[in-house]
Amino acid sequence: MEEGSRNDEPMFSAVSSSPRQLFLLLRCINFASKAQVQISQEGLRFTVEESRVMQGLAFLEKSLFTTFNYTLPTHPTNNDDDSTSAPDSDFPIFQISLPSLLETLQILGLSDSKDRWAAPSTTYSSGITHSLSRGGPAAAFDARVLDMPGVCRLSCFGPGSPLSIILEESGVTTTCELVTYEPEIQEDIPLQRDRLAQKIIMRASWLHDAITELSSTSPTRLTITASPSAPFFTLSSAGPLGSATVEFSKDPQLLETFQVPKRTVNTYKYSSIKAAGKAMALASKVSIRGDYQGVLSLQFMIEVEGGGVSFVDFRFVPFLEEEGDDDEEGEGVGGEVERGYGSDED
């Protein structure tokens, strides 16, 4: 921490003329209290994990920022000259409070008003300090009223240093510092891309409608069936109020891409799939991929300002096939975790 504070120039700095854009992308993975951040020369990678059976990954490419500067951390070499240093090959990784970051990005009305006030219980002060130079109600500084764009400046001086966020809008400046924590997520849930059992691309809104429709039975599990013959793609739910099924035909206007060499059936925790609902509602397309171990990837393509696209990826670990419906749900999830994470070492 001290080393980072001694540097005159930050290790990382970036400026965005559209904080709302950053907010919408990061909100897609807002299902856990902390997000792991990795800074690289290509952008910022945010990873969120729940119970080691679900992960959300959002990558903010440097093209989303007006300016993006990153300098590899250096460490002393073995030379006699102590001042000599060499770049560190490892990109810095740390964790921050994701709810605090989202609250910061919407302080000056950068998101819809219903998003600002809908969840008053959201942890706001965890790991965050504010220096706010403004007066009067927030609505008076709303960019939609003043028709003036906001600017978001991000910076970090090095490992152990806080992530600094400066918001400038309509002459109002908000400075926030988010405490950084040691990383806890060891690795991504592995998806065997060279052994895909299914790859289906469709409009994200249709998947969102199907998941929402199935919620009427208060389901605990969601079964996804893909087959080269009819019914081609099926979502089935089961819960205390009954069961329901949504089937998709192979019509190219419905399923843009359909690559399923043989029939596969996998079951996942419904609440985990539903946690990707914000990404489903925001994205234009979704790529549904699964390998032969049952790991599911939902990769959402989200259109951003300037005609570009960004991707948000969710990965899910399935229930074990040998588990019966009478087994405890927690045991099923836990047993599948070890299988999912170990598959990458084979």
Side-chain angles (χ1 to χ4, degrees):
M1 182 178 297
E2 295 179 356
E3 180 181 355
S5 62
R6 288 198 301 264
N7 296 331
D8 295 333
E9 297 295 331
M11 171 192 68
F12 156 74
S13 63
V15 178
S16 171
S17 59
S18 180
R20 175 180 173 82
Q21 185 170 255
L22 305 181
F23 171 83
L24 291 176
L25 291 172
L26 294 177
R27 189 179 63 168
C28 292
I29 58 172
N30 185 29
F31 57 85
S33 60
K34 290 183 180 180
Q36 187 157 294
V37 185
Q38 182 175 22
I39 305 174
S40 71
Q41 295 170 325
E42 302 302 322
L44 302 175
R45 186 179 191 266
F46 289 78
T47 305
V48 177
E49 182 179 271
E50 181 181 276
S51 304
R52 300 187 68 191
V53 296
M54 174 186 179
Q55 282 183 348
L57 302 94
F59 186 69
L60 305 183
E61 297 185 52
K62 62 180 181 180
S63 60
L64 294 176
F65 299 88
T66 306
T67 61
F68 189 95
N69 299 308
Y70 170 68
T71 303
L72 282 171
T74 59
H75 58 84
T77 62
N78 295 326
N79 297 337
D80 294 336
D81 186 1
D82 293 337
S83 62
T84 304
S85 59
D88 192 342
S89 59
D90 296 328
F91 294 120
I93 302 177
F94 54 86
Q95 285 194 337
I96 60 173
S97 169
L98 183 57
S100 295
L101 174 58
L102 293 176
E103 288 288 346
T104 300
L105 291 176
Q106 62 178 344
I107 283 177
L108 299 182
L110 296 174
S111 68
D112 295 336
S113 58
K114 64 179 181 179
D115 295 324
R116 298 181 62 203
W117 312 115
S121 61
T122 301
T123 303
Y124 180 75
S125 59
S126 175
I128 180 174
T129 59
H130 299 275
S131 173
L132 201 58
S133 58
R134 66 171 183 173
F141 297 94
D142 198 320
R144 293 166 294 178
V145 176
L146 300 176
D147 195 25
M148 297 180 66
V151 174
C152 177
R153 304 179 186 273
L154 306 174
S155 62
C156 184
F157 280 85
S161 299
L163 178 65
S164 176
I165 305 172
I166 300 177
L167 296 172
E168 300 175 358
E169 184 180 34
S170 310
V172 180
T173 300
T174 306
T175 302
C176 306
E177 288 190 345
L178 296 180
V179 175
T180 57
Y181 306 91
E182 291 293 325
E184 297 179 359
I185 302 176
Q186 300 299 321
E187 60 181 358
D188 294 343
I189 294 178
L191 176 70
Q192 298 178 326
R193 294 183 177 87
D194 56 341
R195 298 187 66 247
L196 289 180
Q198 65 184 39
K199 181 179 180 180
I200 300 171
I201 298 178
M202 61 187 298
R203 287 178 57 180
S205 60
W206 290 336
L207 178 62
H208 183 258
D209 292 343
I211 298 298
T212 303
E213 183 71 20
L214 294 175
S215 65
S216 60
T217 61
S218 299
T220 57
R221 299 189 178 193
L222 176 71
T223 299
I224 300 179
T225 304
S227 173
S229 58
F232 299 99
F233 184 52
T234 303
L235 303 178
S236 304
S237 65
L241 300 182
S243 61
T245 300
V246 176
E247 295 182 359
F248 293 89
S249 67
K250 199 180 176 182
D251 188 338
Q253 295 184 350
L254 184 63
L255 303 181
E256 180 180 315
T257 298
F258 186 83
Q259 299 175 3
V260 181
K262 66 178 183 180
R263 187 173 184 269
T264 60
V265 181
N266 289 289
T267 301
Y268 307 89
K269 191 175 180 180
Y270 177 83
S271 60
S272 296
I273 303 293
K274 189 178 180 181
K278 286 185 174 62
M280 295 182 196
L282 186 62
S284 56
K285 294 182 180 181
V286 57
S287 174
I288 306 170
R289 298 175 296 172
D291 60 21
Y292 283 100
Q293 294 208 21
V295 174
L296 173 67
S297 167
L298 299 180
Q299 186 179 64
F300 297 95
M301 185 179 75
I302 300 174
E303 299 176 357
V304 296
E305 297 176 6
V309 295
S310 290
F311 294 91
V312 177
D313 189 14
F314 291 83
R315 295 185 183 181
F316 308 89
V317 175
F319 287 103
L320 290 173
E321 294 180 0
E322 59 266 26
E323 292 171 348
D325 293 337
D326 294 335
D327 291 342
E328 291 294 332
E329 184 174 292
E331 295 179 359
V333 174
E336 190 60 24
V337 167
E338 299 303 324
R339 171 189 167 193
Y341 271 68
S343 62
D344 199 31
E345 301 175 358
D346 294 340

